Structures are given as structure tokens and as C-alpha cells.
Amino acid sequence: MPAETPVISITRDGSIAIVTIDNPPVNALGLSLRQALWQTAETLDADPGVAAVVLVCAGRTFIAGADVGEFGAPPVPPHLPDVVARIEAARAPWFAAIHGSALGGGFEVAMGCRFRVAVASASVGLPEVTLGIVPGASGTVRTPRLAGVPAAVQLVTTGRPVKAAEALSLGLIDAIIQGELREGAIAFVRAALTKPLPPAISARPVAAQTTTFWAEQEAAIARRVKGETAPLRALAAIRKATEAPFAEAMAHERETFLELRASDQAAALRHVFFAERAAPRPAHLKSAAPLPLRNAAVIGGGTMGAGIVAALRDAGLPVTLIERDDAALDRGLTNVRAIFDGGVKRGKLTEAQAADRMAGVTTTCDYAALADVDLVIEAVFEEIGVKRAVFAELGRVCRPDTVLATNTSYLDPRCIAEGVAMPGRFIGLHFFSPAHVMKLLEIVPIPETAPETLATGFALGRALGKIPVQAGICEGFIGNRILKRYRAAAESLVRQGIAIEAVDAAMRGYGFAMGPFEAQDLGGLDIAHLQREAARAAGQAVPETLGDILVRAGRKGQKTGGGWYDYPPGERRPQPSATTGTLLSGAIRAGAALTPEAIAKRLVDEMAAEGAALLAEGIARNAADIDLVEIHGYGFPRWRGGPMFATRRKGAAKP
Ligand code: 3HC
Ligand code: NAI
């Protein structure tokens, strides 16, 4: 950081010093800020006129944590735990005034202060486990002293931030400031100084817990996190804080932090952290301005259309839904309503919010209603003729600058766009099911797509809170093409004699929620089978798959009571199937044996090999994009970093 851009400035309001941190974009605690904080504490301690210090931040947020970008290199002093201790030991008490987010090291700095106040919109939290580490500057040791052990366990082991109101009720902050933060904080300080100060957090007691408490917590966390190591290590650090003196617990936390910081899991999660932040604003679109998005239309209210309508409404856009007839419109609207009702049932939406979401949906069969929409997303049947007819209508009624998008999974967007006037506004926007939940959005330009249209696709992704990834045109784009290779590789293992359930168990062990075969049973084997049949009918040489044998025998998955596995009535858990064994016996060789690790390595290597092919063909722009596609669209374990990262780093199945 050059000397002419100080990250900290000090002003005065009588005997109160106001320390303002200004270290954009998020006031992360890089070396220069740690040094500046230390120096500031020294300067203010030496000034007898200072009775108290308010710590406030400029810009969009309070300190968002340690500088994650520094984690790849050895730590450089002053170390953050020492900075926090220095603030806590200051002659005049410090008060943290929080807006935006006080996260990780940011909240740890706030815990070095004697009091914490925040605006109502602020959040506080210790998200370190989401980066594969534990808090490294007293989060596991001061938090239980501040708010009790259960609150500390919740905060530290989930990594989920809490809003100011909940933070207040948990005792993490002392007051919510209404109105202007700086003035409110100064008034709070003046009132606090009239009373005896509470002890520094490090000097507060912490309640011991029973062995049963720890065992229960450990079991619950282990169930939730599968192979992720940080949450259990964080729990152990909190336990240490309740059983050892402050300094000893701090040393233990630091040791754990430094060990995990150097781990494969932390490297993987950092890779994903930066990839996710880079994806919504790709460098090659810096100079392309997105078009305004004030409203949108969706054609087709089936599975995908309804989910897309819900996603658009969640982002506040008014939506027109078009269907082929009134009955289909009714079904479409029912599909949309079911999504919002589900949100109410799960406590994610209030009744009023759900009603508001529905009120913003207009339904019609008349394309004339689309004369003034900014964006249309087509989600009708996967049939080229149907789609082309829709775009012909859209070309007739929409403004020339309306962005026209298709949600096709497998059709060639260039063929869909054929005949569309001004094809510069045409683009593929490939959502994933359920579209209002899944974070991935593949953005597929055709050669004619204008940069502004592409930029609008990314702007839409940002508005919907999605992870947008650009994909070139090929069958299946990035995600479904890798899925095809993954499934083929899994089938190949079965042909070699590995049990279906052994393959699924290995992939679950690797960190997927489901293995490839049980996932196919859930989604249905018939769609991929029909695609292969269509290709065969068109004269392509598509070899017979094991899935083809099952579908021909009527086994399409859970919906037919059986696919790779059996599903007795009322049972959704897969049961190994003798029928499948018999059906496939002619295609399977006996005798191969592989460890779960070797199975996972084989399959992840296959995904990465397909990813490498996608890069070589220019379908994917970079390896990190492929990792994001797999993590956000296909359940690849985040803490493995994605197939490209995992294979590049060490070999796919290394724990
Ligand atoms: N370190 C380095 N860079 C960071 C960062 C961090 N902790 N947090 C955010 N950034 C960067 C992003 O990479 C992005 O950079 P770019 O503009 O070059 O792409 C920029 O800041 C803006 O980030 P967002 O797009 O995420 O900004 P938002 O306004 O959407 O969100 C936020 C703000 C909620 C603070 C969000 O950035 C966030 O959650 N940050 C991570 C917080 C975190 O994980 N903190 C814990 C760090 S570990 C730690 O503190 C260890 C300690 O215990 C010792
Ligand atoms: P669906 O069959 O559930 O819904 C299609 C809807 O389009 C129906 O409601 C139908 O009435 C309507 N429709 C058909 N012709 C129409 C026309 N001419 N005008 C207006 N509406 C019309 O299909 P689904 O699953 O929603 O798929 C839609 C598109 O999304 C397809 O292209 C599919 O490949 C793609 N897709 C599907 C995914 C999935 O998991 N189902 C995932 C990603 C993309």
C-alpha cells in the first residue's frame, strides 16, 4: 500500500477519538491495515486527551476479515491475534461501530473492543470454516466468553453470519444504532463512560460443558459436514477454550488455524471463494455495458419456466408468463404458486411476500403483451420446431433491443436462432432445475450475440444471485457434457465388475450427496435414453449403454419403482436389485475390485479430462469456470475445489 493512501485516519469529537478504516473494497486486514491498527493503538495510548476510541469503517462494510489473498504465503507480523490483544489492552477503551459485515478477523477485532454497536442492517459472523480454516485471532476463545458456548458453537461451526437483531439477542453486540452510525456510536460511548466498564472479554469467565454436550455437538456436526475437517476442529478449539486458560486456548487455536490454512481443503475453498467472486464480472466483458432489465417474460410454465419465473420474481422483476393455452397457463401459474407456497412452509417467505411475488406475475397467451419487455426467456418443449415458432413470434412482437434467450439443454442455439431478426440480441441462458434454487447459470452466446447481450446475461446472473459461467456451443455445453462422460465412466466400472452400489458409495464418500446411479434413478433414465435413440435414428453410431438395457426393460428409475436399484412402494432409498443384476449380467465381467478412493479418483479424473477437452476446444474459458459448473450445478463437493482443481492439486481422491 503506497504511503500516500493511508488506510486509517483519526478525527476527534472532544475526548473521543474516531478511527476510520478505509481499505477498499472490504477493509480486509492485510498487512498494511494490521500495521496501521497497531500504530494507531500506540498513538492513541500516548495521547492523554483520549478517553475512548470509536472504530468505524468507510465504504460498503466494516472489516470483512483477514485478507484471504495472503493465505497462500507465510504469515507476516504483526499477527492478527496480537493486534486484537493490543486493542483490548489499550489504555482508553475501544468501541466497534459496525455497518455491512463484521466477519472473521473483522469480528475478532470487534471483540478486542470493549463494546460493539451496529446498524440494524449489519451482520456479524465467523465464516472461517467456509474457507477450510478455524478463526485465527480468538474467535473460538473470545466468542464463548462473550456470548456463551452454544452461541459460539453455532456461529463458529456453521460459519453463518447473523443479522444485528439476532446478534443482539445472542449477546454478540451491545446495541443497535438507529439513524447515523457514527453519531449514534458516539452517544453510546458517552453513556457507557458514565458507568464502570465491563471486563475485557479475555478476562471473562467461560462455562464448562458436560462431556455429553460435546459428544452430541460432535455427532451432529459430523453428520452435517461429511468429509470437511474445519467444523470439527473449530468445535475442538471452542472446547479447549472452556477447559484451558485463555493463553493456552489461544495457542491451540493459532496452531489449528496455521495447520488448516496450509491444508488442501483450505486451498480448495479459497480457490472457489475467488472463482465465485470473479465469475459474475468476467474481464473480457469489462467494456460491454449491459442493457437495462426492468421486466421480463418467460415462455412456458413447466418445470423450468415456473422456476425461472420464481427466480425473476425473487429478484424483484415483474414477469409476464406465456403459455400455449389457458389450461397450460393455469398449470403454469399453479407451478409458480407451489414454489412460493413451499417458501412460506419452509419459513423463507412470509405470506405477504409470497402474495407480492404472485402479484408480480401476469399471465397471457397473447404475445402482443411482450411489446415492451426487456428480456424474454424461452422454456418450452425441447423440440426445435416448437422453439423456432416461439422465436418467430418473439421476433415479430418484441422491441428490436429485447434480449431473446433460450433455456435449451441440448439443442444447438444457432439452429434455434435461425431466422431471428437481429440475432445480436439472441443468447442461451441455461438454468438448472429447480431454477429458483440452483446457483448455476450457463450463458451460451451464438457467434452473432452482441457483447451487450452477453453482458446483460451476466447482469441477469448477478441480479438473480446466480453463478454465471460462459459456455461455448457443443452438445451439453460444459456441465451436461461432463455429466455424460462421468456417467459413461461409472458404467464402464460396472461393466468391469464393480458393484453399482460400490460406485455410488465411493462418490458419496468423496463428498457428493448422491452417487451417479442413484442420481439417475431420481432424475429418470428415459430422457438420456431417448436422446441416444434419436441420435441412433439420425444415423449416429451411439453404442448401447447399460441404461438403455434398463429403460427397454421398463426400468426408468424411481418413477417406475426401479432403475439401477429397486424402490418398493413408499420407499425412496435405493435397494440393490436382483432384476438389474440379471438384466445386465450379459454385459458385465466379473471380478474387478477397486477401493472407494480408486473409484472416486477414476471418475473425477474422467471429469477433469473432459474439462481439459472443453478448454482445448474453447467451450470453457478457464478451469475455474468448470469447477464452478460442477460445484453449483452437479453437487461436486465444494471443499474439493472442483474436478480441475482437485486433479491439478494432488490426485483426485486424496483426502
Ligand atoms: N480477503 C480478500 N479479499 C476479499 C475478502 C477477504 N476477506 N472479502 C472480499 N474480498 C474481495 C473479493 O474477492 C472481491 O474482490 P474483486 O472485486 O476483486 O472481485 C471484493 O472484495 C468484493 O467482494 P464481494 O464481491 O464478495 O463483495 P460483496 O459486497 O458482495 O460482499 C462481503 C461483501 C459480505 C464482505 C463478502 O465479500 C464476504 O463475505 N467476504 C468474505 C468474508 C470472510 O470470509 N471473512 C473471513 C476471512 S478469514 C479470517 O478472517 C481469518 C481470521 O480469523 C484470522
Ligand atoms: P416442461 O415440459 O415441464 O415444460 C414445457 C412447457 O412449455 C409446458 O408447460 C408447455 O405447455 C409449454 N409450451 C410448449 N409449447 C409452447 C408454446 N409453443 N408456447 C408456450 N408454451 C409452450 O419442460 P421443462 O423441463 O420445463 O423444459 C423446458 C426447457 O428447459 C427445455 O428446453 C429443456 O431442455 C430445458 N431444460 C430443462 C431442464 C430440466 O431439468 N427439466 C434443465 C435445464 C433446461
Side-chain angles (χ1 to χ4, degrees):
M1 175 77 46
E4 61 274 19
T5 54
V7 290
I8 285 185
S9 58
I10 305 173
T11 55
R12 289 283 283 270
D13 188 315
S15 62
I16 300 174
I18 294 109
V19 171
T20 305
I21 296 177
D22 189 2
N23 189 29
V26 294
N27 295 312
L29 286 153
L31 176 62
S32 57
L33 179 53
R34 295 199 303 279
Q35 284 169 334
L37 272 170
W38 187 280
Q39 187 52 50
T40 302
E42 298 276 308
T43 306
L44 294 175
D45 267 8
D47 184 343
V50 173
V53 179
V54 172
L55 178 64
V56 68
C57 288
R60 67 173 103 165
T61 180
F62 192 77
I63 304 167
D67 186 339
V68 180
E70 287 184 353
F71 284 3
V76 179
H79 302 301
L80 192 56
D82 301 330
V83 174
V84 174
R86 180 69 190 80
I87 289 172
E88 190 180 62
R91 183 189 51 74
W94 284 47
F95 293 69
I98 300 168
H99 77 292
S101 307
L103 297 177
F107 188 58
E108 291 171 317
V109 166
M111 285 196 290
C113 299
R114 212 52 75 96
F115 289 96
R116 286 144 297 282
V117 300
V119 292
S121 58
S123 308
V124 306
L126 291 160
E128 283 85 345
V129 294
T130 65
L131 289 163
I133 54 176
V134 299
S138 81
T140 67
V141 189
R142 281 195 173 86
T143 314
R145 287 175 158 79
L146 174 65
V149 175
V153 169
Q154 182 209 321
L155 209 65
V156 175
T157 66
T158 66
R160 262 197 304 279
V162 292
K163 282 274 185 209
E166 190 181 351
L168 183 65
S169 72
L170 290 172
L172 294 165
I173 62 171
D174 301 290
I176 293 181
I177 302 292
Q178 311 294 345
E180 216 268 317
L181 176 61
R182 187 175 175 279
E183 300 316 314
I186 290 171
F188 181 92
V189 173
R190 291 200 199 290
L193 289 180
T194 63
K195 296 174 219 149
L197 288 176
I201 295 175
S202 63
R204 296 182 198 176
V206 53
Q209 307 291 315
T210 62
T211 315
T212 320
F213 171 85
W214 293 113
E216 279 169 8
Q217 295 298 327
E218 202 174 303
I221 294 168
R223 267 197 306 278
R224 174 166 58 78
V225 300
K226 306 215 178 80
E228 246 173 298
T229 49
L232 283 171
R233 300 293 298 274
L235 184 75
I238 299 172
R239 180 171 187 174
K240 183 81 175 180
T242 67
E243 294 173 350
F246 181 82
E248 196 181 322
M250 284 296 293
H252 174 265
E253 179 195 78
R254 188 73 183 162
E255 201 181 308
T256 311
F257 168 77
L258 290 175
E259 180 198 327
L260 293 186
R261 186 179 178 273
S263 69
D264 283 355
Q265 292 197 7
L269 288 163
R270 280 199 298 279
H271 161 70
V272 179
F273 176 91
F274 285 116
E276 284 175 347
R277 280 166 178 79
R281 291 183 175 79
H284 68 286
L285 290 176
K286 278 223 161 73
S287 54
L291 301 166
L293 284 175
R294 290 158 301 203
N295 53 30
V298 175
I299 319 293
T303 309
M304 293 308 291
I308 296 168
V309 169
L312 292 164
R313 287 299 302 131
D314 286 345
L317 286 172
V319 183
T320 304
L321 172 63
I322 293 231
E323 262 287 356
R324 40 191 178 140
D325 55 42
D326 287 343
L329 259 187
D330 280 350
R331 281 197 301 277
L333 207 56
T334 305
N335 292 342
V336 177
R337 189 174 293 112
I339 292 173
F340 294 134
D341 286 351
V344 172
K345 271 198 204 92
R346 284 194 307 281
K348 298 216 170 207
L349 288 179
T350 62
E351 295 274 3
Q353 284 168 326
D356 178 65
R357 299 282 206 281
M358 283 308 291
V361 184
T362 309
T363 54
T364 177
C365 295
D366 183 1
Y367 279 73
L370 307 187
D372 195 24
V373 285
D374 291 334
L375 164 74
V376 184
I377 303 173
E378 165 276 311
V380 303
F381 299 139
E382 185 78 337
E383 285 170 32
I384 187 73
V386 181
K387 288 196 191 284
R388 274 199 185 146
V390 166
F391 281 98
E393 275 296 292
L394 295 175
R396 214 171 43 78
V397 299
C398 292
R399 289 191 328 250
D401 63 340
T402 299
V403 172
L404 304 181
T406 175
N407 181 48
T408 184
S409 309
Y410 287 99
L411 296 174
D412 186 333
R414 288 168 300 199
C415 300
I416 299 174
E418 248 173 55
V420 170
M422 283 161 291
R425 60 190 168 148
F426 186 92
I427 195 156
L429 292 177
H430 187 214
F431 289 79
F432 288 72
S433 181
H436 60 292
V437 175
M438 296 293 284
K439 288 266 177 227
L440 180 62
L441 177 65
E442 281 183 323
I443 299 186
V444 191
I446 60 170
E448 295 86 348
T449 300
E452 293 70 33
T453 307
L454 189 53
T456 310
F458 278 88
L460 177 74
R462 293 195 292 274
L464 303 186
K466 304 275 183 214
I467 304 285
V469 170
Q470 186 171 330
I473 297 173
C474 66
E475 192 189 282
F477 310 130
I478 297 175
N480 282 341
R481 195 167 124 179
I482 294 178
L483 179 66
K484 191 171 171 185
R485 172 111 170 224
Y486 172 54
R487 286 181 172 169
E491 278 205 10
S492 158
L493 289 176
V494 171
R495 281 181 194 274
Q496 290 163 38
I498 312 284
I500 292 166
E501 50 274 27
V503 175
D504 279 343
M507 297 321 284
R508 265 186 271 112
Y510 185 79
F512 282 85
M514 279 190 180
F517 297 112
E518 48 199 354
Q520 282 179 70
D521 274 355
L522 184 65
L525 278 65
D526 45 333
I527 295 174
H529 167 75
L530 288 175
Q531 270 170 7
R532 288 190 294 271
E533 288 290 84
R536 286 171 190 132
Q540 290 175 35
V542 180
E544 167 123 313
T545 69
L546 301 182
D548 291 332
I549 299 174
L550 294 178
V551 174
R552 287 202 189 98
R555 296 181 68 87
K556 297 180 187 172
Q558 284 194 21
K559 60 186 170 190
T560 57
W564 295 96
Y565 296 92
D566 286 341
Y567 300 87
E571 181 59 82
R572 296 189 65 190
R573 265 174 313 177
Q575 320 282 320
S577 168
T579 316
T580 295
T582 310
L583 282 168
L584 301 186
S585 59
I588 290 177
R589 276 182 275 134
L594 282 179
T595 62
E597 291 74 21
I599 292 173
K601 174 161 170 37
R602 177 85 62 88
L603 296 187
V604 174
D605 282 352
E606 287 285 336
M607 287 184 204
E610 195 63 30
L614 288 163
L615 283 172
E617 292 166 34
I619 302 291
R621 297 184 64 86
N622 57 61
D625 276 357
I626 296 174
D627 287 335
L628 290 178
V629 165
E630 290 304 308
I631 290 167
H632 288 289
Y634 297 84
F636 197 98
R638 183 182 176 84
W639 51 275
R640 300 271 191 188
M644 307 309 282
F645 180 87
T647 46
R648 199 172 56 232
R649 180 136 173 126
K650 283 266 164 75
K654 192 174 182 295

